[in-house]
Amino acid sequence: MLALEERLAQYKTQGLSSRPVASGKLVRVVGLTLEATGCKAPVGSLCKVETMSGEMEAEVVGFSGEHLFLMPSEQTAGVLPGAKVTPMTEEAGIPVGMELLGRVIDGVGLPLDGQGPIYTEQKAAFHVSAINPLLRKPITEPLDVGLKSVNGLLTVGKGQRIGLFAGSGVGKSVTLGMMTRGTTAQVVVVGLIGERGREVKEFIDEILGVDGRQRAVVVAAPADSSPLMRLKGCQTALTIAEYFRDQGLDVLLLMDSLTRFAQAQREIALSVGEPPATKGYPPSVFAKLPALVERAGNGGDGQGSITAFFTVLTEGDDLQDPIADASRAILDGHIVLSRELADAGHYPAIDVEKSVSRVMPQITSEEHLFMSKAVRQILSVCRKNQDLVSIGAYKAGSDPAIDQAFTLKPKIDAFLQQQMKETVPYDMSINMLKHVLQVES
């Protein structure tokens, strides 16, 4: 009897990988989802599915009774009825290490740049436990991103999570590239999720450049990737950033885009039968967004920081879009890119009035904060009275505040614009802001 109890205890401690793995068969394929029976595997684990061209990996995303719902990581061509489905006993993990710097990988860590395989000593799991919020270091110092409009008016702190809200074609990729080249962060991790393949190549070669790639890791899951690969691409980018943060480094994470992550989860959730809620987005989407975003931020003692910029596509330039609205609530600020400014040739097209950095009061001096508020007030006065001035209904001298605002407006506009390959350090940005607000007597 004692021997039996010992064997049972040993069996439990050895876990799932020690158990004999029973293979099942494929009984149904509907849309993006594969349905298998005859085997058991936990949600989130991987299975091998037999196809005419070899084995294909798929992840368990749900179950109903004895039926498993699988989401493939690639196209489902060559799948046959009754195909063999074998659960994998252990997860391969993501390669992490300094060897990743300068490389371009896909959503599961495989190289895409044609520079050969990546050999690292360590591997990290896709799913990690969240950091206790009480163990995180507070945000106390600014991070230089090389953009004078952000450094001066929307100062970002080390460990802050901020959203870049933009419609299509207003320069968000160029803005991300400028921050990549100009930041003082030691490592840059770029996640290009759901973008066009041409844009991925263009971002790496032209926007990021040779110098920018030396300290950067690019994770690419283009628009033609499966929803599972797009979802894993975001998680892989966060996992790599977490590794560098744990080494004590300051990391700049650029995720383009959070909306594609939400859309990938929507495709998966709807495929397994989850009911749509807000404008077609199932409830699981709004549960996964904060789980992803909260992985960024400061670490504990002895660790570095992850300062994250998550781009959010506003459909039809609507800032009340469900994903945009949910993202604003879980981020530490947002930068809005204006189509009106972009159409006028004002780049980067940052709408200062609609943007905010929630940690700026804690990481800047009172003088800096006062100058930032003064610029916002000037821009607000100009916007409210622009029509009166344009039609000649306002007479100069009627209101000194309006006169002063329109006098300073050209200097502020010049300060807010910046060339694509120009980098302005943090201290220089503050000095330029002081010069802009000096009123000539």
Side-chain angles (χ1 to χ4, degrees):
M1 186 68 180
L2 181 61
L4 177 60
E5 292 178 354
E6 289 177 351
R7 288 199 301 270
L8 288 174
Q10 182 181 10
Y11 179 80
K12 290 179 180 179
T13 56
Q14 287 176 341
L16 180 64
S17 60
S18 303
R19 304 177 188 179
V21 178
S23 298
K25 64 177 182 179
L26 206 61
V27 295
R28 193 164 178 255
V29 177
V30 178
L32 304 173
T33 312
L34 311 179
E35 190 172 330
T37 186
C39 57
K40 292 183 179 181
V43 173
S45 64
L46 296 177
C47 295
K48 289 285 188 180
V49 181
E50 187 182 37
T51 69
M52 293 183 65
S53 56
E55 290 185 325
M56 172 183 68
E57 283 191 4
E59 182 176 314
V60 181
V61 294
F63 60 86
S64 176
E66 297 296 323
H67 293 247
L68 292 181
F69 299 133
L70 310 174
M71 183 64 61
S73 58
E74 53 193 270
Q75 301 296 329
T76 55
V79 177
L80 295 172
K84 185 179 179 181
V85 178
T86 307
M88 298 174 64
T89 56
E90 57 183 23
E91 190 176 348
I94 307 165
V96 290
M98 294 299 175
E99 297 83 359
L100 288 174
L101 295 176
R103 301 301 301 268
V104 183
I105 60 176
D106 66 4
V108 292
L110 299 177
L112 293 175
D113 49 14
Q115 298 181 16
I118 301 173
Y119 298 102
T120 61
E121 295 182 358
Q122 293 180 271
K123 289 190 176 182
F126 279 101
H127 308 286
V128 295
S129 57
I131 297 179
N132 186 332
L134 298 181
L135 298 180
R136 290 183 185 269
K137 294 180 295 186
I139 300 174
T140 56
E141 55 181 313
L143 177 73
D144 186 359
V145 295
L147 281 176
K148 54 186 176 180
S149 54
V150 176
N151 285 340
L153 304 176
L154 302 163
T155 309
V156 176
K158 290 183 180 179
Q160 183 175 357
R161 290 78 57 93
I162 194 162
L164 189 64
F165 291 71
S168 56
V170 295
K172 60 180 175 58
S173 296
V174 174
T175 303
L176 291 179
M178 293 172 70
M179 287 191 285
T180 303
R181 290 191 299 269
T183 184
T184 55
Q186 295 153 308
V187 175
V188 179
V189 179
V190 183
L192 301 177
I193 310 301
E195 295 295 323
R196 294 183 290 273
R198 177 191 62 81
E199 284 191 343
V200 173
K201 176 72 172 175
E202 185 179 280
F203 184 91
I204 294 170
D205 291 345
E206 299 181 17
I207 298 178
L208 191 58
V210 177
D211 294 335
R213 284 187 61 179
Q214 298 304 313
R215 56 170 174 165
V217 182
V218 179
V219 181
D224 59 347
S225 302
S226 68
L228 183 63
M229 287 295 286
R230 281 178 269 145
L231 207 65
K232 283 188 174 293
C234 294
Q235 296 169 343
T236 297
L238 259 301
T239 301
I240 293 171
E242 287 171 334
Y243 166 79
F244 288 113
R245 179 192 63 192
D246 294 343
Q247 307 307 307
L249 302 175
D250 291 325
V251 182
L252 177 65
L253 171 68
L254 306 175
M255 185 71 72
D256 187 12
S257 67
L258 200 60
T259 305
R260 304 299 189 201
F261 172 83
Q263 290 174 346
Q265 175 60 24
R266 177 175 62 179
E267 293 175 35
I268 294 174
L270 293 178
S271 295
V272 298
E274 187 177 352
T278 308
K279 291 191 176 179
Y281 286 99
S284 63
V285 172
F286 301 100
K288 281 187 173 291
L289 281 176
L292 181 77
V293 169
E294 284 296 322
R295 293 177 63 180
N298 282 336
D301 293 335
Q303 296 181 329
S305 63
I306 301 176
T307 306
F309 281 83
F310 296 94
T311 66
V312 180
L313 293 173
T314 52
E315 297 182 7
D317 295 333
D318 180 17
L319 292 175
Q320 307 307 318
D321 174 77
I323 300 303
D325 195 44
S327 300
R328 262 198 314 272
I330 59 178
L331 293 168
D332 302 323
H334 53 273
I335 297 175
V336 178
L337 299 186
S338 166
R339 187 173 300 278
E340 183 179 353
L341 291 175
D343 291 342
H346 183 291
Y347 288 102
I350 296 176
D351 191 330
V352 175
E353 288 186 78
K354 294 181 180 179
S355 306
V356 65
S357 173
R358 294 178 180 171
V359 304
M360 185 175 178
Q362 286 79 43
I363 60 175
T364 57
S365 64
E366 291 186 8
E367 182 188 15
H368 184 181
L369 197 60
F370 176 80
M371 291 189 296
S372 173
K373 290 180 179 179
V375 171
R376 289 175 177 273
Q377 291 169 355
I378 291 170
L379 293 175
S380 177
V381 169
C382 292
R383 176 180 52 81
K384 291 176 181 177
N385 296 278
Q386 184 64 52
D387 292 341
L388 293 177
V389 174
S390 298
I391 64 177
Y394 174 76
K395 183 179 179 181
S398 302
D399 189 331
I402 297 178
D403 293 338
Q404 184 183 25
F406 278 95
T407 300
L408 293 174
K409 182 69 160 55
K411 297 173 68 176
I412 293 175
D413 286 342
F415 172 78
L416 295 176
Q417 297 182 63
Q418 189 170 330
Q419 296 297 323
M420 187 178 77
K421 295 186 178 180
E422 179 186 2
T423 298
V424 182
Y426 181 80
D427 292 336
M428 185 182 295
S429 301
I430 307 305
N431 292 330
M432 293 175 69
L433 184 59
K434 290 180 182 178
H435 180 72
V436 165
L437 292 175
Q438 289 176 354
V439 181
E440 299 179 1
S441 56

